[in-house]
Amino acid sequence: MTGLIHSRRRFMVLSSATLAAAPWLASCASAEGGAAIPAKAIGMPWPNWGELPDSPPPAPQEGSVGFAVMGLGGYAIGKVLPALANGQRCHVAAVVSGNPEKAKKVAAAYGLPEDAIYSYEDFDRIADDDRVEAVYNVLPTGLHMRWTEKSFAAGKHVLCEKPMALSSEECERMIAASEAAGKKLMIGYRCHFEPFNLRAMELMRDGAVGPIKSIETAQQYMMGPTDVSENWRVVRALAGGGPLEDYGLYGLQSALYLSGEMPVAVKAVTEQPANDPRFAEIFSSVTTELRFPSGATAHLYTSYNDAPSRNLARVEGEAGVLLMDPATGYDGQKMTLTRDGVSEDLVPGDPNVQFARMCDHMAAAIRDGSEILTPGEMGLRDIVLIEAIYRSAAEGREITL
Ligand code: NAD
């Protein structure tokens, strides 16, 4: 109990941006240790964030794509289900969960019949369910590959959360499964549908700061007490190396889409403090330097062990600076462009549109055969870079790509 109170107190001081990145924090009960959460699909309790609608969404429009939401955690309940319900061309058609009470509650809130509730054990019968055309995989990362493969085997398209998987080999298997099934695979990189990040990409393409000299990104927060028995984000088999895959991936992605380049070399350092149950299996922080063909560089920092929370991207060019702080949140983005000593705050739109836009993008790809902006190949590309980052840190040298 003391541990619980302590956890909650620690949690209270964390910002909403932190909560967005780490919804598990508030449910961390103790740091007493124990067996790690198993790397298989199981039912977990109701998450500590995410609200259900007061009344079910209206009936879907003709031609709308039905999605089964797999894994009813914080992000699924807080963002994915509302996004599917708010989209123009998509809707929630089923849920997949290992927790029957939770699944029933969610299904009722979204107006789903009982036979649209699937468990992991009876998931395969979804193959005969024509109401479901796609699966939105919102499971912990270490389960993405297995359940994406099963979804393709059931004849469904898959929108899979980031990071795509734990290794490039897993990503390649997911892409192969998509091709074998003749079904689409998209990765939930929501920033590609978010007005601030889209505007930033456009500004950089238009040379708004002149030739880019350097990019800095930082994605960090102080993780509260937790351990491998209670939080999949600190279990290597479910989360990989930790903060880089979970949060630093936003900084890595930003460096790529703001520079418009792929790095030619990577050099990195990881930290993993001893005797800290949060970091028994994962790294606490990762610092990465990227070198691009143009000569531009990027400095990326991500950490679960640093306060205050930060989520920024800064591009310095020969003719100006673009600062995004916060850069990649669910909302609350801020963006400032400075040129000739004059700073201008840019507000290109409402970040909240990113979730529904992303789901509609997948629906359009399914219905119209349009190109997916964030396909499995992009997820694979990023995991290949993450592997190079870890290899550089392990070998203590720059890796040429
Ligand atoms: P969460 O812990 O809140 O939810 C995970 C869900 O998976 C739970 O409902 C749980 O019941 C289910 N589950 C099944 N097997 C499990 C197991 N062995 N261990 C733990 N949970 C298990 O996590 P989340 O924050 O919702 O993250 C889920 C996925 O969504 C991850 O891939 C994460 O990276 C991604 N995510 C993306 C964003 C984004 O902004 N795009 C934000 C948060 C999370």
Side-chain angles (χ1 to χ4, degrees):
M1 196 53 171
T2 317
L4 178 63
I5 292 163
H6 183 58
S7 297
R8 288 213 175 120
R9 258 192 218 126
R10 289 287 295 271
F11 185 70
M12 296 294 282
V13 300
L14 298 169
S15 70
S16 59
T18 304
L19 179 60
W24 252 97
L25 286 177
S27 63
C28 296
S30 74
E32 282 150 17
I37 294 176
K40 63 174 194 168
I42 53 172
M44 297 296 267
W46 192 263
N48 72 294
W49 73 287
E51 281 176 25
L52 293 176
D54 294 333
S55 54
Q61 307 264 355
E62 172 103 25
S64 171
V65 174
F67 280 75
V69 176
M70 174 182 267
L72 301 178
Y75 191 63
I77 294 173
K79 295 294 173 193
V80 170
L81 286 155
L84 290 166
N86 289 334
Q88 303 291 309
R89 305 187 67 179
C90 53
H91 63 276
V92 182
V95 291
V96 187
S97 171
N99 178 333
E101 288 85 57
K102 186 171 64 173
K104 261 190 199 162
K105 205 168 148 184
V106 173
Y110 280 89
L112 303 177
E114 290 242 341
D115 69 351
I117 300 175
Y118 291 87
S119 70
Y120 298 110
E121 284 70 36
D122 75 357
F123 174 74
D124 293 346
R125 74 179 169 86
I126 209 167
D128 300 323
D129 190 338
D130 293 338
R131 297 168 298 187
V132 176
E133 287 184 74
V135 170
Y136 196 136
N137 186 340
V138 210
L139 286 167
T141 311
L143 304 174
H144 285 180
M145 179 193 74
R146 191 176 322 158
W147 288 93
T148 293
E149 282 186 336
K150 280 174 85 67
S151 303
F152 284 131
K156 310 300 177 188
H157 303 279
V158 179
L159 174 44
C160 180
E161 255 318 309
K162 49 58 60 181
M164 182 171 173
L166 295 183
S167 68
S168 52
E169 198 189 329
E170 287 190 353
C171 297
E172 279 160 3
R173 276 182 58 170
M174 290 161 75
I175 293 169
S178 152
E179 285 166 358
K183 299 289 171 186
K184 309 272 182 194
L185 172 58
M186 174 170 171
I187 309 303
Y189 282 134
R190 57 180 171 73
C191 294
H192 291 258
F193 305 91
E194 190 279 306
F196 282 74
N197 280 276
L198 286 170
R199 182 80 181 111
M201 292 175 205
E202 200 176 70
L203 285 166
M204 295 304 98
R205 272 196 306 268
D206 293 348
V209 297
I212 294 173
K213 293 193 292 187
S214 63
I215 296 177
E216 183 197 351
T217 67
Q219 278 69 37
Q220 67 178 50
Y221 65 88
M222 179 61 74
M223 179 180 264
T226 190
D227 73 20
V228 295
S229 66
E230 61 193 16
N231 183 351
W232 70 263
R233 281 191 161 79
V234 298
V235 178
R236 183 162 280 266
L238 289 166
L244 176 60
E245 284 93 329
D246 186 30
Y247 202 11
L249 180 52
Y250 289 99
L252 176 62
Q253 273 251 325
S254 304
L256 304 186
Y257 59 65
L258 294 176
S259 68
E261 295 190 272
M262 280 297 288
V264 288
V266 48
K267 196 165 188 308
V269 177
T270 52
E271 280 182 70
Q272 189 173 12
N275 305 319
D276 186 329
R278 297 173 302 165
F279 308 118
E281 295 194 3
I282 62 160
F283 300 114
S284 59
S285 72
V286 184
T287 307
T288 305
E289 306 285 342
L290 302 176
R291 284 199 289 116
F292 294 105
S294 64
T297 57
H299 177 92
L300 322 178
Y301 181 71
T302 186
S303 172
Y304 278 165
N305 200 26
D306 258 303
S309 298
R310 288 200 299 165
N311 175 8
L312 70 84
R314 183 180 182 279
V315 186
E316 184 159 347
E318 286 175 16
V321 171
L322 180 79
L323 176 65
M324 304 178 73
D325 184 9
T328 64
Y330 295 159
D331 56 27
Q333 270 76 321
K334 290 205 171 83
M335 183 156 80
T336 308
L337 180 62
T338 304
R339 287 183 289 202
D340 302 323
V342 179
S343 290
E344 184 190 356
D345 290 336
L346 305 173
V347 185
D350 177 0
N352 279 300
V353 301
Q354 61 187 314
F355 309 98
R357 270 192 190 172
M358 185 174 72
C359 296
D360 274 337
H361 181 77
M362 176 69 167
I366 292 168
R367 271 294 164 269
D368 312 337
S370 50
E371 194 191 339
I372 292 180
L373 280 173
T374 57
E377 286 73 12
M378 180 182 274
L380 167 65
R381 174 201 75 182
D382 295 347
I383 298 300
V384 166
L385 286 176
I386 286 174
E387 286 175 341
I389 288 169
Y390 287 139
R391 196 161 70 248
S392 165
E395 296 176 9
R397 65 182 182 91
E398 182 173 90
I399 303 284
T400 307
L401 298 162

